[in-house]
Structures are given as structure tokens and as C-alpha cells.
């Protein structure tokens, strides 16, 4: 598995060259056309990558990143409500 410059995971270089991202939980959130906002994707990516660097398994990375992204977006919306 390799990570492309677009931030998505690919099975190998050939898949990257033809633009076929791997079917991973991480990619399901980050792919273009995903219903999630850019701030959500940014928070998800940052947290997922941090947990991955720490050696956590993919499912734990996904769960933690999804939870953190939800909190991050909710906090942002709450802050904007008072501006």
C-alpha cells in the first residue's frame, strides 16, 4: 500500500498512475465526492495519520479519527454560532 500525493491510499504504483484508490476506510472518508466537509476531512486525515504513525491498527485509527473529526467540526460550528 502506498499513499499518493493526493492523500489517498493505493494498492501499488500502477493503481496510483491510473487513479484507482484502494477500498479502505480512510479513503472512503477522504475521496473526492465524499459527503464530508473539508474541515472534517482535514481533522480526520490528521488524526488518522497520527494514530497510524503510533502503530495502531487501521480500525483503531479509523474510529479515533472519525470521532475526533466529529468533535472538531462540532466545536467549530459551536464557535461560529457565537460570532
Amino acid at each position: 500500500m502506498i499513499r499518493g500525493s493526493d492523500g489517498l491510499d493505493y494498492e501499488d504504483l500502477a493503481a496510483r498512475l491510473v487513479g484507482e484508490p484502494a477500498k479502505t476506510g480512510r479513503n472512503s472518508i477522504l475521496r473526492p465526492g465524499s459527503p464530508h466537509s473539508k474541515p472534517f476531512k482535514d481533522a480526520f486525515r490528521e488524526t488518522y495519520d497520527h494514530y497510524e504513525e503510533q502503530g495502531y491498527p487501521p480500525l483503531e485509527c479509523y474510529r479515533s479519527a472519525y470521532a475526533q473529526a466529529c468533535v472538531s467540526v462540532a466545536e467549530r460550528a459551536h464557535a461560529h454560532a457565537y460570532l
Side-chain angles (χ1 to χ4, degrees):
M1 189 80 61
I2 63 168
R3 186 149 299 149
S5 58
D6 59 358
L8 298 175
D9 292 331
Y10 295 88
E11 293 291 334
D12 53 34
L13 188 56
R16 170 63 180 118
L17 291 173
V18 296
E20 292 180 11
K23 294 184 186 318
T24 65
R26 184 178 185 280
N27 282 353
S28 70
I29 299 292
L30 300 177
R31 69 177 167 71
S34 166
H36 302 288
S37 67
K38 181 171 176 5
F40 185 94
K41 289 179 180 182
D42 291 344
F44 180 88
R45 180 184 299 111
E46 182 179 332
T47 305
Y48 190 102
D49 293 351
H50 171 75
Y51 273 77
E52 187 176 57
E53 288 172 6
Q54 302 300 316
Y56 287 93
L59 183 57
E60 186 67 25
C61 295
Y62 180 89
R63 288 177 175 167
S64 299
Y66 195 89
Q68 180 60 41
C70 289
V71 168
S72 179
V73 169
E75 287 175 347
R76 180 177 296 217
H78 183 73
H80 285 287
Y82 290 99
L83 294 178

